[in-house]
Amino acid sequence: MLNATVAELSSALAARQVSSVELAQLFLERIDRLNGSLNAFITVDAERALEQARRADAQRAGNAVVGPLTGVPIAHKDIYCTKGMRTTCGSRMLENFVSPYDAHVIERLESAGTVTLGKTNMDEFAMGSSNETSYYGPVRNCWNRGCVPGGSSGGSAVAVAARMAPAATGTDTGGSIRQPAALTGTCGLKPTYGLVSRYGMIAFASSLDQGGPMARSAQDLALLLNAMAGFDRRDSTSVERAPEDYARMLDLSLDGLRIGVPEQFFGEGLDADVRARVEEALHWFLAQGARRVPLRLPNAELALPVYYVLAPAEASSNLSRYDGVRYGHRATEYEDLLDMYVRSRTEGFGEEVKRRILVGTYVLSHGYYDAYYLQAQKLRRLIAQDFVQAYRDCDVILGPTTPTTAFALGSKVDDPLQMYLNDIYTIPAPLAGLPALSIPCGFDAQGLPVGLQLTGNYFAEARLLGIAQRYQLATDWHLRVPREAPL
Ligand code: GLN
């Protein structure tokens, strides 16, 4: 059961082969056994999980209407506010923060009957690509404990990869779902901007932040997204659309599928093994009748600098709310009000968060706004237009998720630019607001997983998931069990 997908657990629960309480116990024991070394969870609440599991079992026994997720245990990135359960966002600032309300995503998944096992570790305020900026210590990659799992949703990725949870939630601003999915051999989907409500999801860069599912198969991503997506009036950028079944295209035909292959995604800096695995995947698709469409995304190479102006700008504004007054960390000793702000923020935030606040404040300040922030906004529009143009000629864009596989813990912490380069392929999609997913497509010479990224047009989630599912029916990369977390 530990190795089962969400779809399999759902069938087992429906057939009464297992109860939700038994499942919750199984995963809680696994967490207990592995979390000391992997550090994927910040908070685990066994009592709460078992209570939810008992309720799910009672619903089923009482023949109440149950859904495919009723009784399925999952984990949540610690960026989602959970009522009555601590939400730290990976920061000392929120070490003791207990939200008075649930995030929309939590509400939706819990009302779909899922059982919350706990809250997963993450880079502080979702700023990072390695999970090393977490105040609660780094997460370790279960394929090689000396390596990072990626970030910022590294805890969710390792929870899923190490079978501590069959699925988890994540958030993606510049790659935080897809990059850790790639580095841990799991699957992750960043939906179209606005599909999943940001209400109760702690803000980093609001025009980019988007919640999404992480799991071990494309089918499971679809099941989770079905519960997570939906209009919410409390998020002003939530899109109002008729509900759709994201699993409806899982048997999609690949014949005639036009696959865009942008040269910009295969340039300098791409590891040879990663390139080889991604090209093998492309050839598999071509063998199924798909067509290769060479593409140019002329402004894609500007995505990284644009992102690192816009995301810090928005972050500096969003993080101004942590002033020690209403909630969050407050220094115990201070002289006056200003000193209280300064000391609370100095103590509460880590180095990377401070770096972003400084950069963001700088690019927004008088005299620099036009040169940096405004310019970046204009380039963002050009990057988005490249995609609009590209989707006239292709149905999906294929490339690597990351330039390299998992790197050694500590190897990039002192070099922010090297760290930022990890997101070179994942940043364009959120800048354009497009959906994109990462699925495993093989291993490098060290046995570390490689991720394949598929980017779709707006609201093309069902199709993306269908394409990924077809690949997964023919390959078993997504089923491999990590070496350092055997069953
Ligand atoms: N790694 C990127 C950053 O540090 C993206 C993070 C994210 O998507 N939340 O900003």
Side-chain angles (χ1 to χ4, degrees):
M1 285 290 167
L2 277 177
N3 202 27
T5 61
V6 170
E8 288 162 352
L9 292 179
S10 179
S11 315
L13 284 162
R16 320 271 163 122
Q17 285 159 355
V18 70
S19 72
S20 179
V21 167
E22 285 165 338
L23 281 184
Q25 275 163 343
L26 191 69
F27 284 100
L28 287 167
E29 277 165 27
R30 176 94 172 159
I31 295 171
D32 219 30
R33 194 140 49 83
L34 294 181
N35 201 46
S37 57
L38 296 174
N39 201 25
F41 284 83
I42 293 175
T43 305
V44 176
D45 191 337
E47 268 320 298
R48 192 174 188 269
L50 290 169
E51 178 51 40
Q52 287 178 337
R54 275 192 287 274
R55 226 176 305 141
D57 283 337
Q59 262 181 342
R60 208 177 281 280
N63 289 321
V65 196
V66 294
L69 297 180
T70 302
V72 173
I74 59 171
H76 292 294
K77 185 175 183 179
D78 208 16
I79 198 168
Y80 288 102
C81 288
T82 41
K83 190 172 170 177
M85 187 178 189
R86 174 167 95 118
T87 301
T88 71
C89 214
S91 183
R92 181 181 184 199
M93 186 56 90
L94 294 176
E95 191 173 8
N96 301 308
F97 175 64
V98 179
S99 165
Y101 60 88
D102 278 324
H104 183 77
V105 161
I106 303 286
E107 263 174 26
R108 303 261 320 189
L109 282 166
E110 289 194 345
S111 67
T114 61
V115 169
T116 300
L117 294 167
K119 308 289 291 291
T120 59
N121 202 346
M122 55 181 284
D123 279 300
E124 186 177 11
F125 285 102
M127 299 175 192
S129 311
S130 67
N131 232 287
E132 293 165 293
T133 73
S134 170
Y135 176 66
Y136 305 89
V139 178
R140 287 172 183 275
N141 194 321
C142 44
W143 291 93
N144 177 339
R145 292 187 189 184
C147 288
V148 304
S152 64
S153 312
S156 286
V158 168
V160 172
R163 277 68 174 166
M164 293 191 271
T169 54
T171 62
D172 192 310
T173 303
S176 280
I177 287 178
R178 293 160 287 151
Q179 189 254 10
L183 271 43
T184 58
T186 54
C187 310
L189 168 69
K190 183 208 92 75
T192 305
Y193 184 75
L195 208 63
V196 170
S197 168
R198 290 180 292 109
Y199 178 78
M201 197 176 101
I202 294 175
F204 163 13
S206 310
S207 77
L208 297 154
D209 296 344
Q210 188 57 203
M214 304 181 75
R216 291 205 307 279
S217 74
Q219 183 185 19
D220 285 2
L221 294 179
L223 291 175
L224 257 81
L225 186 63
N226 276 346
M228 292 171 79
F231 176 66
D232 175 18
R233 64 183 66 256
R234 297 167 301 185
D235 170 0
S236 61
T237 56
S238 172
V239 271
E240 202 162 356
R241 278 170 68 87
E244 52 175 300
D245 175 11
Y246 295 100
R248 73 182 186 281
M249 289 170 90
L250 291 180
D251 57 0
L252 182 88
S253 162
L254 300 173
D255 198 26
L257 182 78
R258 296 170 305 162
I259 301 184
V261 184
E263 57 184 67
Q264 282 80 3
F265 286 10
F266 292 85
E268 206 191 324
L270 178 60
D271 174 86
D273 283 348
V274 175
R275 176 196 298 271
R277 294 300 93 75
V278 170
E279 282 174 353
E280 283 157 21
L282 173 62
H283 286 121
W284 181 85
F285 281 107
L286 299 180
Q288 313 306 308
R291 215 149 45 75
R292 176 195 185 121
V293 180
L295 277 187
R296 257 175 51 77
L297 297 170
N299 296 292
E301 62 194 35
L302 297 171
L304 199 72
V306 165
Y307 174 88
Y308 277 100
V309 170
L310 297 179
E314 294 186 29
S316 71
S317 162
N318 273 326
L319 270 59
S320 65
R321 74 191 65 178
Y322 305 103
D323 56 6
V325 177
R326 284 158 298 184
Y327 52 87
H329 177 78
R330 181 188 294 181
T332 45
E333 280 170 40
Y334 46 86
E335 273 153 25
D336 53 20
L337 183 64
L338 191 64
D339 193 43
M340 191 277 282
Y341 293 153
V342 172
R343 289 191 196 215
S344 301
R345 287 167 71 82
T346 303
E347 295 169 5
F349 291 138
E351 216 176 294
E352 183 61 25
V353 172
K354 286 175 186 156
R355 181 179 295 120
R356 307 268 179 128
I357 292 173
L358 288 175
V359 169
T361 309
Y362 178 81
V363 300
L364 286 175
S365 57
H366 184 72
Y368 297 103
Y369 180 92
D370 291 332
Y372 294 107
Y373 183 77
L374 196 64
Q375 196 66 10
Q377 287 287 27
K378 290 177 182 167
L379 291 170
R380 178 178 188 177
R381 170 57 62 90
L382 293 180
I383 291 163
Q385 278 170 356
D386 282 356
F387 281 104
V388 171
Q389 180 66 37
Y391 286 119
R392 296 201 179 111
D393 303 324
C394 69
D395 304 306
V396 64
I397 293 175
L398 178 148
T401 308
T402 56
T404 69
T405 54
F407 46 93
L409 275 158
S411 62
K412 298 188 183 179
V413 271
D414 298 324
D415 190 346
L417 281 183
Q418 277 307 314
M419 192 65 95
Y420 298 168
L421 277 169
N422 284 294
D423 304 316
I424 188 143
Y425 305 133
T426 49
I427 279 177
L431 282 176
L434 293 165
L437 58 75
S438 179
I439 51 171
C441 67
F443 295 87
D444 71 359
Q446 282 72 48
L448 292 168
V450 174
L452 176 76
Q453 178 170 237
L454 299 172
T455 307
N457 209 340
Y458 298 106
F459 305 110
E461 284 79 3
R463 179 192 285 255
L464 277 182
L465 291 164
I467 298 169
Q469 165 80 357
R470 293 306 301 255
Y471 179 75
Q472 295 191 325
L473 286 175
T475 56
D476 68 350
W477 308 119
H478 63 297
L479 302 175
R480 306 288 179 91
V481 179
R483 274 194 303 254
E484 299 192 5
L487 287 167

